[in-house]
Amino acid sequence: MPVAGTGAAARRSLIISLHDVAPSSWDITKKILAEVGRIGGSACSVLVVPDYHHEGSMVGNQPFVSWLRELESDGHEIVIHGYFHERPRQVAESLYGRFMTRVYTQDEGEFFDLDYEEATQRITRARDEFRAAGLKPHGFIAPAWLLGAEAERAARDCGMEYTTRLGAIRDLRSGEDFPARTLVYSVRNPWRRQVSLCWNGLLRQMTRCDWLLRVSIHPVDYLHPAVWRQICGSITQMASQRNPTTYQDWMAEWRLRGTSRL
């Protein structure tokens, strides 16, 4: 993995990740990246879904793929984000399974309980398609951060360097976790938006002294003015005090320095 461009990449850092990127969200994604760039988000991890909701493979959209290559050359990172980003409902599911896949996320926990063989097939296919398109993916992040044990093993065996969850970054080489909560919003309905605004305002204060801060943005966040204002305010404040980096570069620097030096 490439070593980060600055020696401070793993110290007092900020990672901004943009989720659910696909041809169907391309226009809004470009607006988000432009606005984030203007307020200090010079490097972002861009989480790309190979075939979002079975709308069609992203590799068939050459202008979109060319844009992703341009992002990489500009210092952003392209991350594999599931394959279809959806999970069909199952007939016999536990209460926990129904909650995690239907309430916590709306039928998008693709890798929540995927078996090893199917997870391996999807991750391998995504990896090979990205590489054939001239992209260099090093990380795999499951939709909604719901990555079952068998799917995580598959990601590691497919050569993925890292994954993330809601509260941590995991080095798939060593299995080590670096605790790091992320600001993320649920905008599905008004009460979720209000709770998200309150919770993320509190979380920003609680984590302000942490070595690493994370902000996770979804395209739909941009459509809700109060949510988008808070996101921009948080990034503006964080970026003025921290080094914006990507998961890929942060992980490379973390390994280089060793956990004892963080």
Side-chain angles (χ1 to χ4, degrees):
M1 294 178 69
V3 175
T6 69
R11 300 177 65 84
R12 301 293 180 187
S13 299
L14 168 64
I15 296 178
I16 302 166
S17 60
L18 179 54
H19 295 228
D20 303 354
V21 177
S24 59
S25 63
W26 189 12
D27 288 342
I28 196 167
T29 299
K30 288 188 286 188
K31 294 176 182 177
I32 290 172
L33 283 173
E35 292 195 25
V36 167
R38 285 195 290 270
I39 58 177
S42 55
C44 298
S45 291
V46 180
L47 279 56
V48 179
V49 184
D51 187 358
Y52 184 78
H53 287 201
H54 298 270
E55 293 175 348
S57 174
M58 66 96 181
V59 296
N61 188 320
Q62 286 305 310
F64 179 75
V65 171
S66 296
W67 174 71
L68 293 178
R69 287 197 295 264
E70 290 174 7
L71 291 181
E72 272 197 342
S73 66
D74 289 340
H76 299 289
E77 172 194 14
I78 305 302
V79 184
I80 299 172
H81 189 38
Y83 196 87
F84 299 114
H85 206 286
E86 67 177 1
R87 174 187 178 272
R89 293 188 177 186
Q90 300 176 13
V91 176
E93 286 188 295
S94 66
L95 182 62
Y96 174 74
R98 289 198 299 271
F99 175 82
M100 294 302 293
T101 60
R102 304 182 194 185
V103 179
Y104 169 71
T105 186
Q106 196 170 25
D107 299 313
E108 295 193 321
E110 179 184 3
F111 284 78
F112 173 68
D113 53 1
L114 212 58
D115 63 43
Y116 177 82
E117 289 74 17
E118 183 62 27
T120 299
Q121 181 180 346
R122 294 188 193 187
I123 297 171
T124 299
R125 182 178 176 184
R127 180 199 64 197
D128 293 348
E129 288 176 347
F130 278 43
R131 289 178 178 174
L135 302 169
K136 299 178 286 295
H138 294 276
F140 174 83
I141 299 176
W145 296 285
L146 295 178
L147 183 66
E150 288 298 290
E152 180 178 313
R153 183 163 67 92
R156 183 184 66 246
D157 292 349
C158 290
M160 296 293 99
E161 299 278 350
Y162 72 84
T163 190
T164 71
R165 287 185 168 84
L166 185 65
I169 302 171
R170 170 161 291 188
D171 184 342
L172 288 175
R173 289 182 183 174
S174 66
E176 292 181 283
D177 285 336
F178 185 89
R181 291 282 305 187
T182 186
L183 273 64
V184 62
Y185 294 78
S186 178
V187 299
R188 202 184 309 169
N189 52 48
W191 75 262
R192 283 177 178 263
R193 293 195 289 274
Q194 190 56 49
V195 170
S196 287
L197 288 167
C198 294
W199 166 245
N200 284 292
L202 177 62
L203 183 60
R204 187 176 69 181
Q205 295 303 313
M206 292 168 55
T207 59
R208 65 185 183 277
C209 295
D210 290 0
W211 286 114
L212 172 64
L213 299 181
R214 301 163 59 200
V215 179
S216 298
I217 304 172
H218 292 78
V220 292
D221 296 340
Y222 189 78
L223 304 177
H224 300 280
V227 169
W228 185 242
R229 281 195 302 270
Q230 188 177 84
I231 290 173
C232 289
S234 297
I235 291 174
T236 299
Q237 182 184 54
M238 294 173 181
S240 67
Q241 303 165 350
R242 295 170 176 272
N243 176 51
T245 187
T246 64
Y247 284 120
Q248 174 185 340
D249 284 350
W250 187 90
M251 182 61 69
E253 185 68 18
W254 185 45
R255 288 174 177 151
L256 182 66
R257 289 175 174 270
T259 57
S260 63
R261 300 181 61 183
L262 288 176

